[in-house]
């Protein structure tokens, strides 16, 4: 019979699959592959000092990549609603990283706490189709408010259901698909090109 050692039990408890079984909002048993992380982040200009917000970091596959790329004066704010996953991310003591165990819908209050007016990029891996329509709309609208003019909302999803809602707020949207991901990943890059606020 297989009995897990202390270290193995710790690794299992912090894996996406363990949290997936306990929390339907985790929505994925495996982290996004490194190759897809690179492709999904290709629009980000790492040569400038920037502020990025990440929704649903899970076990931090994007977080680690973004921290390896951003400048010393840039900031990364991650918002993860699953407590176990957020606690794990809090172990990263990088001064540029701020971890919030909260819902992405609360982005505006979180930025206010951090004294940040607007951000350059929001990257989202949360399963939008798991939210009801009102929550989804609140999330997209609040993200629009949080972005600077020309800021980009990057969304990766297993379905393209939420595209219509993103188009309602962001008039400039480019979409592509990562067909080799299982299941295929839809990626939307929505640019805020208007000063109109909702
Ligand atoms: C599909 S996993 C993606 C994990 C990781 N970003 C990756 O690419 O492997 C979705 C993550 O979003 C989190 N999540 C779901 N709804 C959320 C919400 N409303 N606000 C913040 N995080 C949320 C889940 O707990 C989970 O960690």
């Amino acid at each position: 019979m297989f009995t897990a050692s202390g270290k193995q039990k710790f690794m299992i408890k912090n894996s996406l699959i363990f949290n997936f079984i306990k929390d339907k909002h985790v929505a994925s048993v495996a982290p996004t592959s490194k190759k897809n992380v690179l492709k999904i982040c290709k629009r980000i200009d790492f040569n400038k000092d920037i502020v990025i917000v990440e929704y649903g970091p899970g076990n931090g596959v994007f977080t680690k990549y973004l921290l390896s790329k951003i400048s010393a004066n840039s900031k990364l704010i991650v918002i993860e609603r699953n407590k176990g996953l957020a606690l794990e991310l809090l172990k990263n003591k990088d001064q540029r990283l701020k971890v919030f165990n909260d819902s992405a819908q609360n982005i505006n209050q979180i930025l206010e706490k951090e004294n940040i007016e607007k951000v350059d990029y929001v990257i989202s891996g949360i399963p939008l189709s798991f939210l009801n329509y009102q929550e989804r709309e609140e999330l997209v609208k609040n993200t629009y408010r949080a972005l600077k003019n020309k800021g980009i909302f990057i969304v990766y999803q297993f379905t393209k259901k939420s595209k219509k809602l993103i188009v309602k707020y962001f008039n400039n949207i480019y979409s592509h698909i990562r067909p080799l991901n299982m299941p295929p990943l839809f990626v939307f890059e929505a640019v805020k090109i208007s000063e109109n606020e909702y």
Side-chain angles (χ1 to χ4, degrees):
M1 196 179 74
F2 169 77
T3 35
S5 67
K7 192 176 173 202
Q8 282 164 332
K9 278 185 192 154
F10 174 81
M11 283 167 70
I12 293 166
K13 208 170 161 220
N14 294 304
S15 67
L16 274 187
I17 188 157
F18 179 82
N19 285 288
F20 169 76
I21 295 163
K22 295 202 335 180
D23 175 359
K24 77 169 175 110
H25 288 276
V26 171
S28 175
V29 291
T32 304
S33 70
K34 185 72 197 287
K35 197 172 170 192
N36 280 333
V37 171
L38 260 68
K39 290 275 180 196
I40 293 167
C41 295
K42 73 180 190 318
R43 284 287 291 270
I44 302 177
D45 183 356
F46 293 110
N47 296 315
K48 296 180 183 159
D49 291 337
I50 49 177
V51 182
I52 307 178
V53 176
E54 183 188 359
Y55 297 162
N59 58 5
V61 61
F62 280 86
T63 313
K64 283 178 209 124
Y65 173 70
L66 293 169
L67 286 172
S68 76
K69 298 291 288 180
I70 59 174
S71 66
N73 295 320
S74 292
K75 276 196 176 127
L76 175 60
I77 293 169
V78 301
I79 311 175
E80 171 54 62
R81 72 185 293 283
N82 180 287
K83 195 172 177 191
L85 294 170
L87 284 174
E88 197 52 31
L89 291 159
L90 272 166
K91 291 183 183 159
N92 188 327
K93 299 296 174 205
D94 192 310
Q95 294 294 308
R96 300 166 301 171
L97 175 68
K98 282 282 164 75
V99 179
F100 287 86
N101 177 209
D102 205 332
S103 281
Q105 291 92 311
N106 297 328
I107 180 172
N108 304 119
Q109 291 92 311
I110 289 172
L111 293 181
E112 207 177 307
K113 263 191 225 156
E114 288 297 303
N115 276 324
I116 294 172
E117 210 178 313
K118 299 277 178 193
V119 307
D120 300 276
Y121 301 92
V122 174
I123 174 156
S124 173
I126 71 175
L128 294 176
S129 56
F130 283 28
L131 305 176
N132 66 41
Y133 189 83
Q134 197 187 331
E135 290 172 323
R136 231 179 299 158
E137 174 136 33
E138 193 189 7
L139 184 136
V140 176
K141 195 202 288 186
N142 291 349
T143 303
Y144 184 92
R145 283 190 187 135
L147 282 165
K148 288 178 183 168
N149 188 31
K150 299 205 173 89
I152 309 181
F153 184 26
I154 303 168
V155 182
Y156 55 98
Q157 296 282 288
F158 296 132
T159 81
K160 50 181 177 187
K161 267 194 207 156
S162 301
K163 186 175 175 184
K164 251 191 192 165
L165 180 59
I166 300 171
V167 171
K168 181 174 166 189
Y169 288 91
F170 292 82
N171 23 23
N172 187 334
I173 178 165
Y174 168 72
S175 37
H176 53 108
I177 182 169
R178 308 289 310 146
L180 296 181
N181 196 74
M182 271 308 142
L185 261 184
F186 296 92
V187 184
F188 309 120
E189 297 166 2
V191 187
K192 176 174 176 176
I193 52 169
S194 156
E195 285 293 0
N196 294 338
E197 294 296 346
Y198 291 97

